Amino acid sequence: MQKALKNAVSKAVDGNTWKKFTNPSAGRGKTAFPKGQAEQEGVGVRWDYDGEVTKADGVFHKFQMQPNAGKVPSSIKRWREANGGTHAVMASVLVKKDGTKDDVEQGLKEAAESVEG
């Protein structure tokens, strides 16, 4: 599972993709990344935008990491089947608003590492 999630995180911070997390254009409840079905199957999980959260150390964008449908890595498929399907939340992700690529990578990695299964 962790190998598949590490792969997903690396795809999410590849190139300029990380900017979708620091300044999301997706509406609340909509997928920030990945968008297309083929890309979703390749990544295995998706991050749905869940609004802004204000904490003592700043404003953060919140995302729900969820398993994708279709041909995803077998470890993610097993988690999906055991935990309620494609709408089950694997982890919540907080990314600093207008943050850096490192902020995105840190938030996504922390969330991925918190997933058990």
Side-chain angles (χ1 to χ4, degrees):
M1 169 74 82
Q2 286 303 316
K3 183 178 177 185
L5 293 177
K6 275 184 183 176
N7 183 39
V9 169
S10 73
K11 288 181 181 177
V13 296
D14 191 35
N16 286 330
T17 305
W18 63 271
K19 293 180 180 179
K20 295 180 182 200
F21 294 91
T22 59
N23 191 12
S25 60
R28 188 154 193 245
K30 302 294 181 190
T31 301
F33 177 78
K35 296 281 190 181
Q37 183 177 355
E39 195 175 27
Q40 285 183 351
E41 287 182 354
V43 175
V45 296
R46 68 183 183 279
W47 290 273
D48 288 355
Y49 186 58
D50 195 26
E52 289 184 359
V53 175
T54 303
K55 295 176 57 175
D57 54 344
V59 178
F60 294 82
H61 291 292
K62 182 179 180 186
F63 299 87
Q64 302 288 350
M65 185 171 74
Q66 298 174 281
N68 283 324
K71 297 176 187 172
V72 297
S74 59
S75 58
I76 294 173
K77 184 177 182 181
R78 283 192 302 274
W79 189 97
R80 180 182 72 199
E81 290 170 353
N83 291 280
T86 59
H87 294 288
V89 175
M90 298 175 86
S92 291
V93 179
L94 293 176
V95 174
K96 194 169 198 79
K97 184 176 182 176
D98 299 321
T100 65
K101 183 176 182 176
D102 289 338
D103 293 331
V104 174
E105 192 167 16
Q106 178 184 350
L108 296 178
K109 278 184 176 178
E110 287 175 4
E113 290 167 2
S114 74
V115 178
E116 296 190 17

